[in-house]
Amino acid sequence: MVQSNDRFSSLPINSQFRLENSTQGNNQRFLRFPLNGKVNGLLPLADLRGVIQVALTEILPVPQVAEFLLGIMNWRGEAIWILDLAGLLGATHWCRRESVRNSGMAMLVQVQNQTVGLLVEQVNTIEVHDPQERLEISTSMLPGRLGSFLQGYFVDSQGSPLMLLDTQVVIQALQPL
């Protein structure tokens, strides 16, 4: 079910995305999304409050904050920060990309009593992975800034890495606010 509002639509994650793997044992569910054209990321579903579509015109810029903070927006009567996830991880800022998109998907995570939206271009599927199959990231694999925001990675059926986002470390980047 998709709930509509005049500003954005909220996607209930439990019914909109197909499961790619079966659930067995100690497996956990993750939301898959592209970090860039070649690498996909995973966000633990346990950390996710919801996913919403966001138009850039709905984000109110806030002066003198970190560049990866796009601004705040109203979500269900609550002011939430919208963070450019790729920008935080060291990629080109959302507004400086060659093909700037006017909207994206915000993965909403709860930070104590505040909701924060992690803006990405799209979300793909919900997948199930065994946490014991998670691989460690070596310092030579990725630039230091990116590696510090990840818990490790899984390998998908095509042999591509799926980078596991460490939600707590991402949230710590907001602490000076």
Side-chain angles (χ1 to χ4, degrees), residues 7 10 16 50 73-74 114 116 120 125 135 143 165-166 173 175:
R7 295 188 166 192
S10 177
Q16 289 295 319
M73 70 173 282
N74 181 6
Q114 184 178 4
V116 175
V120 295
T125 60
L135 302 168
L165 193 65
D166 188 336
Q175 294 310 322

Side-chain angles (χ1 to χ4, degrees), residues 19 37 105 125:
L19 288 176
M105 300 300 291
T125 60

Side-chain angles (χ1 to χ4, degrees), residues 45-62:
L45 235 55
D47 295 347
L48 197 59
R49 186 168 174 199
V51 177
I52 59 172
Q53 186 172 1
V54 176
L56 292 182
T57 56
E58 298 175 89
I59 301 171
L60 176 65
V62 176

Side-chain angles (χ1 to χ4, degrees), residues 64-66 68-69 81 169-177:
Q64 300 179 349
V65 296
F68 63 84
L69 288 169
W81 282 101
V169 175
V170 169
I171 298 314
Q172 288 173 1
L174 300 173
Q175 294 310 322
L177 301 175

Side-chain angles (χ1 to χ4, degrees), residues 147-168:
S148 65
F149 290 101
L150 302 173
Q151 294 180 30
Y153 68 100
F154 295 99
V155 178
D156 68 11
S157 59
Q158 286 79 36
S160 300
L162 301 170
M163 301 301 179
L164 179 56
L165 193 65
D166 188 336
T167 311
Q168 294 305 314

